[in-house]
Amino acid sequence: MAEVLVFVDHTGGAVRKPTLELLTLARRIGEPVALALGDGAGDTVRTLAEHGAVRVLTHQAPEYAEYLVVPEVDALQAACAQVSPAAVLVPSSAEGKEIAARLALRIGSGVITDAVDLVAGEDGPVATQSVFAASYTTTSRVSKGTPVITVKPNSVAVEAVPAAGAVEALNVTFSAQATGTRITGRTPRVSTGRPELTEAAIVVAGGRGVNGAENFAVIEALADSLGAAVGASRAAVDAGWYPHTSQVGQTGKTVSPQLYVAAGISGAIQHRAGMQTSKTIVAINKDPEAPIFDLVDYGVVGDLFEVVPRLTEEVRARKG
C-alpha cells in the first residue's frame, strides 16, 4: 500500500488534534508516515503510533525554533525524497498553508488547501472543499506530481488505530533560504483555559448584539458551561469588545465545530464565511429577519441577555 506523509503539528512533543485527524484521513488512502520536527519530536512517537502512524520520521535542529517556515519545507522535501508518498497532508493553519504552497512549488506538484474531506480515487486522492463562503461544495484532485493537501481542523473524527510507529531519523540539509527570516522574540499566549478556537468542538460566539465588552461575560459563561471556545464577529472585534484573535469570519479565523452558537450575530456574509461548515448551528437573535436564521439548524428569537443566561443555567443543571 502507498504511504502518505503527514506533517506533525506539536508543541514540545504534545501532538495537536488536527494532526490526529490527518492520520485518520491518511489511512483512507494509504499507510500514514508521520514527520515530527524540532524539540520534543521524539516525544510524539507514542501518540502518533496510537493513531495509525506506521513510521515516524524525526529530526531535531535549532533552525526550526529560530527561523520561519523554510526549515520545515526543507525537511518535508527531504522526507518526500525518502518516502515517495502518494500524498502529503498538512494542517490547514496559516503556517501550514504557507509550508504546503512552498513544498508544492519545490517538488513540482499541485496543492489543495482547506479540504474538509479526503477519499481515495482511481487517479489519486480526491479532496472535498467548501468554497465561496460555503455556498458550494467542490471535489478536486491534483493532476500533476505528489498531491499536497491542507485539511481544516474538525473535518473528521479522530480514530485511534494502533500501528508500529517505527522511528527513523531523517537526514535534512538546510537550504540557504532557511535562515532568511529569524524569529527575534516570542510572547507566550495568555491561557484562558478554553480550547483553541479553530480546534474546538463547540464554539459560542457573540456579535454586535452583545453591546459592550463587559457583556461578553454572558457569552463566556455559556462557553465555560459547555467546555467551548469563545468567538466574536467582526463588528464586536472592531468595536474593541473582544480580541482580534477570537474573530470568526472571512478576515478572521475559520471554524468548523460540531456545535456553533451565535448570540447577537446578524449573519453577514463576512461572518458566515468563517463558520458555515459547522455541523450544527444555533442562533439567538431578537430580530426574526436576521440573515443568520437562513443558515441555522435551530433558531431562537429573543433577547440574548434573557436566553443565554437561562441556557447556561440549564446546561449547568444537567451536568449536575
Side-chain angles (χ1 to χ4, degrees):
M1 183 180 290
E3 294 181 317
V4 179
L5 187 61
V6 173
F7 181 72
V8 177
D9 184 7
H10 72 96
T11 303
V15 180
R16 299 182 67 179
K17 182 171 171 280
T19 297
L20 305 182
E21 296 175 16
L22 293 186
L23 291 170
T24 298
L25 289 172
R27 291 199 305 274
R28 296 180 181 178
I29 57 177
E31 294 185 331
V33 176
L35 172 62
L37 304 173
D39 291 341
D43 297 330
T44 66
V45 174
R46 180 175 179 180
T47 300
L48 296 171
E50 289 173 348
H51 290 83
V54 296
R55 290 195 287 156
V56 180
L57 309 181
T58 64
H59 187 256
Q60 296 192 36
E63 281 82 356
Y64 299 120
E66 295 177 3
Y67 299 94
L68 287 178
V69 178
V70 180
E72 285 86 348
V73 180
D74 290 338
L76 267 171
Q77 185 176 10
C80 286
Q82 182 169 317
V83 175
S84 298
V88 180
L89 305 185
V90 181
S92 201
S93 61
E95 183 179 89
K97 284 186 276 192
E98 182 174 356
I99 290 171
R102 287 173 177 263
L103 175 67
L105 182 63
R106 285 196 187 185
I107 64 177
S109 297
V111 61
I112 296 173
T113 60
D114 290 335
V116 295
D117 198 11
L118 191 64
V119 296
E122 291 183 4
D123 298 310
V126 177
T128 299
Q129 294 165 287
S130 182
V131 300
F132 295 114
S135 298
Y136 296 90
T137 298
T138 65
T139 56
S140 53
R141 67 175 180 83
V142 170
S143 59
K144 179 183 177 182
T146 301
V148 182
I149 303 170
T150 74
V151 181
K152 282 186 177 182
N154 291 315
S155 293
V156 65
V158 173
E159 298 174 0
V161 178
V167 181
E168 299 178 20
L170 178 68
N171 183 31
V172 180
T173 300
F174 292 116
S175 63
Q177 294 80 16
T179 57
T181 307
R182 179 185 290 275
I183 299 171
T184 59
R186 298 177 185 271
T187 302
R189 180 181 298 174
V190 178
S191 176
T192 63
R194 302 186 184 101
E196 167 64 30
L197 180 59
T198 57
E199 301 174 16
I202 304 174
V203 174
V204 180
R208 192 189 305 274
V210 176
N211 199 31
E214 67 281 1
N215 295 330
F216 257 87
V218 175
I219 305 299
E220 292 176 332
L222 176 58
D224 292 341
S225 71
L226 293 167
V230 175
S233 71
R234 178 173 177 173
V237 169
D238 285 350
W241 299 343
Y242 221 68
H244 176 73
T245 52
S246 296
Q247 181 184 333
V248 175
Q250 198 164 23
T251 55
K253 294 182 177 179
T254 300
V255 300
S256 187
Q258 296 297 315
L259 172 63
Y260 188 87
V261 180
I265 295 176
S266 64
I269 189 64
Q270 198 275 347
H271 185 76
R272 293 169 62 157
M275 46 67 73
Q276 239 175 231
T277 56
S278 302
K279 309 305 182 291
T280 301
I281 301 172
V282 178
I284 302 166
N285 200 299
K286 63 182 179 182
D287 179 8
E289 302 300 322
I292 192 74
F293 287 126
D294 296 333
L295 178 67
V296 303
D297 298 285
Y298 302 96
V300 179
V301 178
D303 186 339
L304 73 87
F305 295 107
E306 296 179 4
V307 176
V308 173
R310 291 180 64 180
L311 179 56
T312 303
E313 291 175 6
E314 184 65 21
V315 171
R316 289 173 175 168
R318 293 196 180 195
K319 292 175 71 174

